[in-house]
Amino acid sequence: MPINFSKVFYVYNPKSPFQYEALKNVNLTIKEGGFVALVGKTGSGKSTLISHLNALLHPTSGEVVIDDFVNSAEKKKRSRDIKALRQKVGLVFQFPEYQLFEETVEKDVAFGPKNFGVTNEEALKQAHEALGVVGLDPTFYQRSPFELSGGEKRKVAIAGILAIHPKILIVDEPTAGLDPRAAEETMTLFRKIHEEGTTIILVTHDMYNFQMEGVLDFKGDEKLRQDVEDNLVLGDVDVTNVTFGDGEVEVQCNPSDFEKAKDVLKGMNITDFDTAEVTFVPNEYVTLGDEDKQKMQDMLDELNECEDVQAVYHNVGNI
């Protein structure tokens, strides 16, 4: 399902003292199966733009085409089957956990499929599958969503969208309010969903939510993991995580400190390690506004020096 914005303008409160032009001549194409970051400062129009993708808003002028669905400023051109569109385009708002309302996790996630007409049995099946995708096992099914941690609540809210099997998943500020570990788990989840064929659009005001990491793997145990972590910190290495599992220690660090991390390991007589530069980044960036053009370009230049990465940058103008 490709997405195309053509000469889209959007004005809030037109012909009033409070008139405000939120979108100005947006021309943008997002390919099917893409992984796109929509970047812009607070108030730049990001949420307004994505609200056009499932027809929560209609353009003041111009049109948005999602596959064969048309969202146009002209009523005669608009496709009428909005329900079908909203099943194809899943939108996870900022702080989606505030939208939880059912008495159990299972019922909350099953609400979406039931709303689209599937039987209760099938809705529960889809809910269970979606909860499995986000990493919540059957012990969560009968729990109250309001008793969960912040990260778990967000997973339940995301599962509620995944349960309707959208072709496009839009997430607005997905890591807002999460601690670093929960934020990393959330980003890992979206990468997994994308790898399974879903188009992902991540909306953020912070382009550095999507940085790459250097990864080093070597044989070891829990004691070695702790010693390595301590030495990396003493060596002033920007470490994201140091984990142990299946007889191996894995170090994840900022790519700019990759060589420094190697030197610390060699200083501990650890020389037999595998290295990789892994990117947790979308393959395409779209920016709203001109404020951070150079900052964005500098980051993408750094990204594109890594293997198997090609990050594309589009500035869609002053919005």
Side-chain angles (χ1 to χ4, degrees):
M1 295 181 66
I3 299 167
N4 186 66
F5 283 75
S6 179
K7 299 179 180 178
V8 172
F9 290 73
Y10 187 79
V11 179
Y12 286 102
N13 302 310
K15 299 179 182 179
S16 81
F18 306 102
Q19 178 172 313
Y20 175 70
E21 189 173 55
L23 298 179
K24 182 179 179 182
N25 196 27
V26 175
N27 295 280
L28 171 66
T29 298
I30 296 174
K31 297 177 182 177
E32 183 175 0
F35 187 7
V36 178
L38 181 60
V39 183
K41 70 177 184 178
T42 301
S44 63
K46 304 184 300 297
S47 296
T48 300
L49 189 146
I50 62 173
S51 294
H52 284 74
L53 291 173
N54 63 357
L56 289 174
L57 295 176
H58 300 298
T60 303
S61 65
E63 67 179 24
V64 182
V65 179
I66 305 100
D67 202 14
D68 56 355
F69 185 96
V70 178
N71 182 12
S72 175
E74 299 179 38
K75 291 184 179 181
K76 292 181 179 180
K77 289 186 176 181
R78 292 177 193 166
S79 301
R80 295 187 178 183
D81 194 357
I82 293 179
K83 189 172 184 178
L85 173 71
R86 291 176 179 168
Q87 187 170 12
K88 294 178 180 179
V89 181
L91 178 54
V92 181
F93 290 101
Q94 190 174 356
F95 300 113
E97 56 271 26
Y98 294 160
Q99 300 163 43
L100 303 176
F101 64 95
E102 282 282 11
E103 60 183 355
T104 68
V105 166
E106 179 183 66
K107 287 183 178 180
D108 207 297
V109 177
F111 177 81
K114 289 174 67 175
N115 196 42
F116 284 108
V118 305
T119 64
N120 185 63
E121 181 180 0
E122 181 62 24
L124 289 175
K125 179 183 176 182
Q126 291 178 209
H128 295 164
E129 290 173 352
L131 287 166
V133 170
V134 301
L136 298 179
D137 62 39
T139 63
F140 284 86
Y141 293 175
Q142 298 305 315
R143 292 177 64 181
S144 167
F146 307 106
E147 296 175 353
L148 305 180
S149 69
E152 289 168 344
K153 286 180 180 177
R154 191 158 301 185
K155 287 181 179 180
V156 172
I158 293 168
I161 299 298
L162 295 180
I164 65 174
H165 300 149
K167 300 294 184 183
I168 300 168
L169 181 63
I170 307 164
V171 285
D172 193 355
E173 302 285 1
T175 59
L178 297 180
D179 62 64
R181 184 176 295 275
E184 181 183 350
E185 289 177 354
T186 300
M187 292 304 299
T188 299
L189 169 62
F190 293 135
R191 291 193 296 274
K192 177 182 176 182
I193 295 168
H194 173 252
E195 289 169 359
E196 294 174 354
T198 304
T199 301
I200 301 285
I201 301 174
L202 291 174
V203 180
T204 184
H205 68 279
D206 184 1
M207 66 186 73
Y208 288 99
N209 277 338
F210 312 111
Q211 290 195 52
M212 59 220 169
E213 291 182 326
V215 178
L216 302 100
D217 291 303
F218 47 90
K219 298 294 182 182
D221 54 21
E222 176 56 33
K223 184 180 184 305
L224 182 59
R225 185 206 69 80
Q226 186 61 59
D227 290 343
V228 165
E229 185 170 26
D230 292 343
N231 278 277
L232 289 170
V233 172
L234 289 172
D236 197 29
V237 177
D238 186 359
V239 179
T240 304
N241 206 5
V242 183
T243 58
F244 167 70
D246 297 327
E248 285 199 344
V249 177
E250 180 179 274
V251 174
Q252 300 172 9
C253 65
N254 188 301
S256 62
D257 283 356
F258 203 35
E259 294 303 320
K260 192 189 296 185
K262 292 180 186 178
D263 291 339
V264 170
L265 295 180
K266 290 174 183 176
M268 298 176 65
N269 295 317
I270 301 172
T271 57
D272 186 15
F273 51 76
D274 295 322
T275 64
E277 288 184 278
V278 192
T279 60
F280 296 156
V281 295
N283 53 27
E284 193 164 6
Y285 287 78
V286 177
T287 60
L288 278 71
D290 297 318
E291 293 81 4
D292 293 319
K293 288 173 65 176
Q294 189 56 53
K295 188 177 181 182
M296 170 65 80
Q297 192 59 60
D298 290 344
M299 187 190 78
L300 294 187
D301 288 344
E302 183 180 4
L303 283 175
N304 285 318
E305 291 178 1
C306 294
E307 295 181 7
D308 302 322
V309 179
Q310 184 175 5
V312 181
Y313 166 42
H314 299 289
N315 180 23
V316 298
N318 243 345
I319 300 174

